[in-house]
Amino acid sequence: MEQNFILEARDLTKSYMAGFTALDKLNIGICRGRIVGLLGPNGSGKTTFIKLANGLLTPTDGEILIDGKAPGVETKKIVSYLSDRDFLPSWMTVDQAFGYYSDFFEDFRRDKAEDMTSALGIKLKSKIKTLSKGNREKIALILTMSREAKLYLLDEPIAGVDPATRDYILNTIISNYAENSTVIISTHLIADIESVLNDVIFIKNGKLEMYRSAEEIRETEGKSVDALFREVYKW
C-alpha cells in the first residue's frame, strides 16, 4: 500500500435495523508504529469500528482493510483484540487461559504473559472466577499484549477500573506492544490516556470529525486533547 497503512477504511458504513447508522462513509488511513486514540462519547461508533476491524461485523457499504486485506482468517493472525466485555470463561484457570491463547495464536508469548502475571502476584492456578474485577481486566490485557501482533485493537480498556489498575493497564500497553506495531485504543476517558497517544481520531455520530497528531493539537490549538475533545463534543 502506497502510504504504508496498517488499517484503511474507505467509505465505511455500518447500519443496523430501525435505520440506525453507526458509521457513515468513514474514510481513514492509520499508519504503522503509532498509538492512536479512537475517541468519542458513548454511541459515537467506536465499538462498531473496532468490531468491523476485527471481522466481528460486516460493513453495510464501503470496506475496511487490515494490512491490505479484508478482515478474515489471515488478518486475525496479525490483530490482537481486547473486547470491552469480560470474555474469559469463569471456570478457566489463568494457566488454562494462557494455554488457550497458545493453541490459537502462533505469536503468543507465554513466557512474557507468565512474567507479567508473576509480577502482579497472581498465581497461574487461580480460577478466573476467583479474581477481582481489576485482576480479570489485567489478565485479559496481558493475554492481548503478549501477542506479537501488527495491530492491537483495545476497546475501552480502562473503563470501569480503579485508578491503580488504570495506571497498570496504560503502562502495560506502552511497554509491551511489538515494535513497529500500531495500537488503537477506543475510549471516552481522554484525560487518562492522552499522555500515551501519538494520534487522535474524533468520531461523532458515526462520522470522522478529526484525525490529527496529539502534539499538533497541543501546539496549534494551545490546549490538551481532552480540552479540545470537550469543546468538540459539548452539548
Side-chain angles (χ1 to χ4, degrees):
M1 300 176 70
E2 290 184 6
Q3 298 189 57
N4 201 30
F5 294 139
I6 184 63
L7 185 155
E8 189 173 11
R10 301 173 180 170
D11 288 331
L12 183 64
T13 300
K14 180 61 181 178
S15 299
Y16 295 98
M17 295 179 65
F20 173 67
T21 299
L23 291 176
D24 188 5
K25 297 187 183 307
L26 192 69
N27 287 284
I28 198 163
I30 297 176
C31 293
R32 302 169 197 274
R34 310 291 284 176
I35 300 180
V36 182
L38 180 64
L39 313 178
N42 291 330
S44 59
K46 302 188 304 298
T47 292
T48 295
F49 181 83
I50 294 286
K51 287 184 174 180
L52 284 164
N54 201 50
L56 297 175
L57 293 173
T58 303
T60 304
D61 200 5
E63 63 180 349
I64 187 166
L65 302 174
I66 308 296
D67 205 21
K69 305 179 186 71
V73 174
E74 289 302 309
T75 63
K76 287 185 183 299
K77 295 177 182 177
I78 63 170
V79 174
S80 192
Y81 167 58
L82 178 65
S83 171
D84 63 338
R85 306 291 180 184
D86 195 349
F87 64 90
L88 294 173
S90 61
W91 54 266
M92 270 189 179
T93 63
V94 173
D95 186 60
Q96 286 172 326
F98 290 172
Y100 179 80
Y101 262 59
S102 295
D103 289 342
F104 271 86
F105 303 110
E106 291 182 6
D107 63 356
F108 181 71
R109 289 274 311 278
R110 185 176 180 126
D111 57 334
K112 187 176 180 180
E114 289 184 0
D115 285 346
M116 284 192 278
T117 304
S118 175
L120 288 171
I122 299 175
K123 296 186 179 350
L124 291 177
K125 297 302 180 185
S126 298
K127 288 197 172 183
I128 300 298
K129 67 182 177 183
T130 67
L131 300 178
S132 67
K133 176 176 170 38
N135 280 342
R136 289 198 306 273
E137 297 268 1
K138 289 172 184 174
I139 292 298
L141 183 71
I142 286 170
L143 286 164
T144 305
M145 301 309 298
S146 292
R147 289 186 57 198
E148 295 186 335
K150 290 185 179 180
L151 176 64
Y152 299 86
L153 299 172
L154 314 179
D155 194 3
E156 297 285 0
I158 60 172
V161 297
D162 61 83
T165 299
R166 197 169 293 171
D167 289 343
Y168 174 84
I169 287 172
L170 292 175
N171 288 333
T172 300
I173 291 169
I174 62 177
S175 303
N176 291 283
Y177 73 100
E179 188 178 1
N180 297 321
S181 297
T182 295
V183 182
I184 299 177
I185 307 172
S186 163
T187 187
H188 60 280
L189 301 171
I190 318 305
D192 292 299
I193 70 161
E194 178 170 346
S195 63
V196 308
L197 299 178
N198 299 126
D199 304 313
V200 295
I201 298 168
F202 285 3
I203 293 183
K204 188 174 185 179
N205 298 324
K207 294 179 179 289
L208 178 64
E209 189 77 13
M210 183 185 303
Y211 183 13
R212 297 169 68 183
S213 79
E215 183 178 358
E216 179 193 354
I217 287 173
R218 286 188 283 268
E219 288 181 354
T220 61
E221 302 292 339
K223 60 187 69 171
S224 67
V225 173
D226 182 54
L228 183 61
F229 177 86
R230 293 171 186 273
E231 183 178 296
V232 170
Y233 291 96
K234 64 185 177 185
W235 304 105

